[in-house]
Amino acid sequence: MNLNTYYDLISSESKARRYLLGKCFLNHQRFCLRCRMRKLYKLEDGRYRCSRCRYTFHDFSGRWINQGRLSCIQWLSLVKLFELEVSARKMASQIQLSYRAVYNAVMAIRWAILSHAEDAETLLGGEIELDESYFGGRRKGKRGRGAAGKVPVFGILERDGLVHVNVVPNVTAETLLGLTVKKVRRGSVIYTDKFRSYDSLMFCGYRHLKVDHGKYFSSGKVYINGMEGFWSWAKERLIKHHGVSKEYFPLYLKELEFRYNHKNEDIFDSITNYLCDLVPKWD
Ligand SMILES: [Zn+2]
């Protein structure tokens, strides 16, 4: 969305609201969120009641955008600043909200992105790079050996395509190959380094080529620069957050995956779409 369209959208609360409502209800046709009945009664307080199941709801009930009490203009401003990677603290002063309110809203955006990523069942194929990396853990106090305290992340990258990253409990062959088989089409060519967990890839229906880091010049197409590029890009971005807790790290990771996969696109529209989705029932 270009700036002029955006300015117009936030010029009044009713325009901003209409824009968001259009994303919640196709053609602005409201329906009951429980039974999808279209015949609704409008209550005096602005809410709606279903004529069939009596469920009472308001415009943003059950959606990500219902988290926190932000106006529609505030939500759209927040998404614009999120798109531009402005820190939560700066957003708070720009939108004149408390840091806590902004933080909660930005986390709702991250949850919405994560829940979208989870549904993404797109298979990757063609030329694929696999690699694992460790994030965080350089805290004061505990100094573990090797990767202790760090979070292992497994990455699958389609050359000239999408990246898919996930926090993993460990980097055993079982874990890494299990995820690969779920995400990568059989018959693809897979490039990895010499890490032993990848040894059985050829038995999973892939053509497997190993990078010899020692023989840089003779390796030709056998490299994993795409995946390595993603790691350094992601780590540089995470520094800005001044340490992310382990609990919420997957949210930040999926935000980075989303940004990387949409780096040449206008993400304002996708984020507002996600925010207007119904919050899934996690069990
Ligand atoms: Zn109903």
Side-chain angles (χ1 to χ4, degrees), residues 31-40 49-57:
F31 55 84
C32 169
L33 301 177
R34 288 220 177 125
C35 71
R36 305 194 77 82
M37 178 73 180
R38 288 238 169 122
K39 195 178 168 206
L40 307 169
R49 179 165 292 157
C50 173
S51 66
R52 187 195 287 156
C53 75
R54 317 292 292 165
Y55 177 60
T56 306
F57 60 98

mmCIF file of all heavy atoms in Angstrom, residues 31-40 49-57, ligand 1:
data_model
loop_
_atom_site.group_PDB
_atom_site.id
_atom_site.type_symbol
_atom_site.label_atom_id
_atom_site.label_comp_id
_atom_site.label_asym_id
_atom_site.label_seq_id
_atom_site.Cartn_x
_atom_site.Cartn_y
_atom_site.Cartn_z
ATOM 1 N N PHE A 31 -21.928 -12.361 9.426
ATOM 2 C CA PHE A 31 -22.595 -13.631 9.683
ATOM 3 C C PHE A 31 -22.249 -14.076 11.099
ATOM 4 O O PHE A 31 -21.294 -13.563 11.700
ATOM 5 C CB PHE A 31 -22.174 -14.690 8.657
ATOM 6 C CG PHE A 31 -20.687 -14.889 8.588
ATOM 7 C CD1 PHE A 31 -20.035 -15.738 9.479
ATOM 8 C CD2 PHE A 31 -19.919 -14.201 7.644
ATOM 9 C CE1 PHE A 31 -18.660 -15.909 9.432
ATOM 10 C CE2 PHE A 31 -18.529 -14.366 7.599
ATOM 11 C CZ PHE A 31 -17.903 -15.213 8.489
ATOM 12 N N CYS A 32 -23.028 -14.995 11.621
ATOM 13 C CA CYS A 32 -22.778 -15.492 12.966
ATOM 14 C C CYS A 32 -21.502 -16.335 12.954
ATOM 15 O O CYS A 32 -21.337 -17.210 12.111
ATOM 16 C CB CYS A 32 -23.956 -16.333 13.439
ATOM 17 S SG CYS A 32 -23.604 -17.227 14.956
ATOM 18 N N LEU A 33 -20.597 -16.047 13.899
ATOM 19 C CA LEU A 33 -19.314 -16.744 13.908
ATOM 20 C C LEU A 33 -19.463 -18.197 14.353
ATOM 21 O O LEU A 33 -18.599 -19.020 14.116
ATOM 22 C CB LEU A 33 -18.322 -16.034 14.829
ATOM 23 C CG LEU A 33 -18.015 -14.579 14.478
ATOM 24 C CD1 LEU A 33 -17.088 -13.977 15.506
ATOM 25 C CD2 LEU A 33 -17.410 -14.455 13.085
ATOM 26 N N ARG A 34 -20.584 -18.485 15.020
ATOM 27 C CA ARG A 34 -20.774 -19.862 15.500
ATOM 28 C C ARG A 34 -21.469 -20.739 14.470
ATOM 29 O O ARG A 34 -21.068 -21.869 14.257
ATOM 30 C CB ARG A 34 -21.622 -19.852 16.779
ATOM 31 C CG ARG A 34 -20.842 -19.320 17.937
ATOM 32 C CD ARG A 34 -21.139 -20.123 19.191
ATOM 33 N NE ARG A 34 -20.306 -19.631 20.273
ATOM 34 C CZ ARG A 34 -20.774 -19.225 21.436
ATOM 35 N NH1 ARG A 34 -22.082 -19.267 21.692
ATOM 36 N NH2 ARG A 34 -19.954 -18.801 22.361
ATOM 37 N N CYS A 35 -22.580 -20.217 13.870
ATOM 38 C CA CYS A 35 -23.341 -21.103 12.973
ATOM 39 C C CYS A 35 -23.441 -20.560 11.545
ATOM 40 O O CYS A 35 -24.088 -21.158 10.705
ATOM 41 C CB CYS A 35 -24.728 -21.365 13.558
ATOM 42 S SG CYS A 35 -25.810 -19.925 13.477
ATOM 43 N N ARG A 36 -22.756 -19.437 11.291
ATOM 44 C CA ARG A 36 -22.690 -18.803 9.969
ATOM 45 C C ARG A 36 -24.033 -18.291 9.449
ATOM 46 O O ARG A 36 -24.172 -17.963 8.272
ATOM 47 C CB ARG A 36 -22.023 -19.738 8.931
ATOM 48 C CG ARG A 36 -20.643 -20.214 9.375
ATOM 49 C CD ARG A 36 -19.845 -20.850 8.260
ATOM 50 N NE ARG A 36 -19.267 -19.875 7.330
ATOM 51 C CZ ARG A 36 -18.136 -19.213 7.545
ATOM 52 N NH1 ARG A 36 -17.477 -19.374 8.659
ATOM 53 N NH2 ARG A 36 -17.670 -18.380 6.641
ATOM 54 N N MET A 37 -25.015 -18.200 10.317
ATOM 55 C CA MET A 37 -26.320 -17.635 9.957
ATOM 56 C C MET A 37 -26.142 -16.164 9.585
ATOM 57 O O MET A 37 -25.395 -15.437 10.232
ATOM 58 C CB MET A 37 -27.248 -17.770 11.181
ATOM 59 C CG MET A 37 -28.617 -17.203 10.995
ATOM 60 S SD MET A 37 -29.556 -18.279 9.901
ATOM 61 C CE MET A 37 -31.109 -17.431 9.837
ATOM 62 N N ARG A 38 -26.846 -15.754 8.514
ATOM 63 C CA ARG A 38 -26.716 -14.363 8.079
ATOM 64 C C ARG A 38 -27.757 -13.447 8.711
ATOM 65 O O ARG A 38 -27.610 -12.238 8.696
ATOM 66 C CB ARG A 38 -26.863 -14.297 6.558
ATOM 67 C CG ARG A 38 -25.649 -14.857 5.862
ATOM 68 C CD ARG A 38 -25.062 -13.802 4.965
ATOM 69 N NE ARG A 38 -23.756 -14.221 4.497
ATOM 70 C CZ ARG A 38 -23.441 -14.337 3.230
ATOM 71 N NH1 ARG A 38 -24.336 -14.067 2.307
ATOM 72 N NH2 ARG A 38 -22.237 -14.687 2.882
ATOM 73 N N LYS A 39 -28.841 -14.046 9.219
ATOM 74 C CA LYS A 39 -29.890 -13.200 9.791
ATOM 75 C C LYS A 39 -29.516 -12.846 11.230
ATOM 76 O O LYS A 39 -29.469 -13.710 12.114
ATOM 77 C CB LYS A 39 -31.231 -13.936 9.751
ATOM 78 C CG LYS A 39 -32.393 -12.995 9.978
ATOM 79 C CD LYS A 39 -33.725 -13.688 9.896
ATOM 80 C CE LYS A 39 -34.787 -12.742 10.421
ATOM 81 N NZ LYS A 39 -35.930 -13.468 10.942
ATOM 82 N N LEU A 40 -29.227 -11.559 11.416
ATOM 83 C CA LEU A 40 -28.739 -11.102 12.716
ATOM 84 C C LEU A 40 -29.583 -9.924 13.190
ATOM 85 O O LEU A 40 -30.146 -9.196 12.382
ATOM 86 C CB LEU A 40 -27.290 -10.629 12.582
ATOM 87 C CG LEU A 40 -26.281 -11.584 11.940
ATOM 88 C CD1 LEU A 40 -24.982 -10.844 11.639
ATOM 89 C CD2 LEU A 40 -26.007 -12.787 12.841
ATOM 90 N N ARG A 49 -26.760 -10.036 17.321
ATOM 91 C CA ARG A 49 -27.185 -11.303 17.915
ATOM 92 C C ARG A 49 -27.741 -12.190 16.810
ATOM 93 O O ARG A 49 -28.533 -11.748 15.970
ATOM 94 C CB ARG A 49 -28.241 -11.070 18.991
ATOM 95 C CG ARG A 49 -28.726 -12.380 19.614
ATOM 96 C CD ARG A 49 -29.489 -12.144 20.900
ATOM 97 N NE ARG A 49 -28.594 -11.649 21.951
ATOM 98 C CZ ARG A 49 -29.011 -10.951 23.011
ATOM 99 N NH1 ARG A 49 -30.295 -10.650 23.149
ATOM 100 N NH2 ARG A 49 -28.155 -10.551 23.920
ATOM 101 N N CYS A 50 -27.298 -13.442 16.822
ATOM 102 C CA CYS A 50 -27.701 -14.390 15.798
ATOM 103 C C CYS A 50 -29.164 -14.779 16.009
ATOM 104 O O CYS A 50 -29.587 -15.053 17.134
ATOM 105 C CB CYS A 50 -26.797 -15.620 15.888
ATOM 106 S SG CYS A 50 -27.315 -16.956 14.815
ATOM 107 N N SER A 51 -29.916 -14.801 14.930
ATOM 108 C CA SER A 51 -31.350 -15.116 15.041
ATOM 109 C C SER A 51 -31.563 -16.606 15.300
ATOM 110 O O SER A 51 -32.605 -17.021 15.770
ATOM 111 C CB SER A 51 -32.076 -14.712 13.762
ATOM 112 O OG SER A 51 -31.624 -15.516 12.695
ATOM 113 N N ARG A 52 -30.549 -17.405 14.995
ATOM 114 C CA ARG A 52 -30.726 -18.845 15.191
ATOM 115 C C ARG A 52 -30.169 -19.308 16.544
ATOM 116 O O ARG A 52 -30.892 -19.856 17.354
ATOM 117 C CB ARG A 52 -30.040 -19.610 14.055
ATOM 118 C CG ARG A 52 -30.313 -21.108 14.090
ATOM 119 C CD ARG A 52 -29.353 -21.866 13.198
ATOM 120 N NE ARG A 52 -29.637 -21.698 11.785
ATOM 121 C CZ ARG A 52 -28.718 -21.857 10.820
ATOM 122 N NH1 ARG A 52 -27.476 -22.177 11.135
ATOM 123 N NH2 ARG A 52 -29.040 -21.682 9.555
ATOM 124 N N CYS A 53 -28.852 -19.051 16.779
ATOM 125 C CA CYS A 53 -28.250 -19.617 18.001
ATOM 126 C C CYS A 53 -28.111 -18.603 19.131
ATOM 127 O O CYS A 53 -27.587 -18.936 20.176
ATOM 128 C CB CYS A 53 -26.915 -20.267 17.661
ATOM 129 S SG CYS A 53 -25.587 -19.079 17.365
ATOM 130 N N ARG A 54 -28.526 -17.377 18.889
ATOM 131 C CA ARG A 54 -28.505 -16.304 19.894
ATOM 132 C C ARG A 54 -27.105 -15.845 20.277
ATOM 133 O O ARG A 54 -26.947 -15.074 21.219
ATOM 134 C CB ARG A 54 -29.266 -16.697 21.199
ATOM 135 C CG ARG A 54 -30.570 -17.399 21.012
ATOM 136 C CD ARG A 54 -31.638 -16.529 20.416
ATOM 137 N NE ARG A 54 -32.095 -15.448 21.285
ATOM 138 C CZ ARG A 54 -32.807 -14.399 20.846
ATOM 139 N NH1 ARG A 54 -33.119 -14.307 19.560
ATOM 140 N NH2 ARG A 54 -33.201 -13.467 21.670
ATOM 141 N N TYR A 55 -26.097 -16.299 19.572
ATOM 142 C CA TYR A 55 -24.735 -15.855 19.893
ATOM 143 C C TYR A 55 -24.637 -14.351 19.667
ATOM 144 O O TYR A 55 -25.124 -13.816 18.672
ATOM 145 C CB TYR A 55 -23.735 -16.605 18.998
ATOM 146 C CG TYR A 55 -22.296 -16.185 19.185
ATOM 147 C CD1 TYR A 55 -21.678 -16.319 20.421
ATOM 148 C CD2 TYR A 55 -21.548 -15.677 18.120
ATOM 149 C CE1 TYR A 55 -20.351 -15.941 20.596
ATOM 150 C CE2 TYR A 55 -20.227 -15.304 18.283
ATOM 151 C CZ TYR A 55 -19.629 -15.435 19.529
ATOM 152 O OH TYR A 55 -18.321 -15.068 19.692
ATOM 153 N N THR A 56 -24.053 -13.668 20.652
ATOM 154 C CA THR A 56 -23.935 -12.217 20.576
ATOM 155 C C THR A 56 -22.473 -11.843 20.366
ATOM 156 O O THR A 56 -21.597 -12.352 21.060
ATOM 157 C CB THR A 56 -24.447 -11.586 21.883
ATOM 158 O OG1 THR A 56 -25.763 -12.093 22.106
ATOM 159 C CG2 THR A 56 -24.501 -10.079 21.787
ATOM 160 N N PHE A 57 -22.226 -10.999 19.399
ATOM 161 C CA PHE A 57 -20.825 -10.646 19.108
ATOM 162 C C PHE A 57 -20.729 -9.240 18.545
ATOM 163 O O PHE A 57 -21.733 -8.652 18.149
ATOM 164 C CB PHE A 57 -20.237 -11.658 18.113
ATOM 165 C CG PHE A 57 -20.969 -11.724 16.792
ATOM 166 C CD1 PHE A 57 -20.500 -11.031 15.687
ATOM 167 C CD2 PHE A 57 -22.129 -12.479 16.656
ATOM 168 C CE1 PHE A 57 -21.166 -11.076 14.467
ATOM 169 C CE2 PHE A 57 -22.809 -12.530 15.441
ATOM 170 C CZ PHE A 57 -22.323 -11.832 14.345
HETATM 171 ZN ZN ZN B 1 -25.552 -18.418 15.166
#
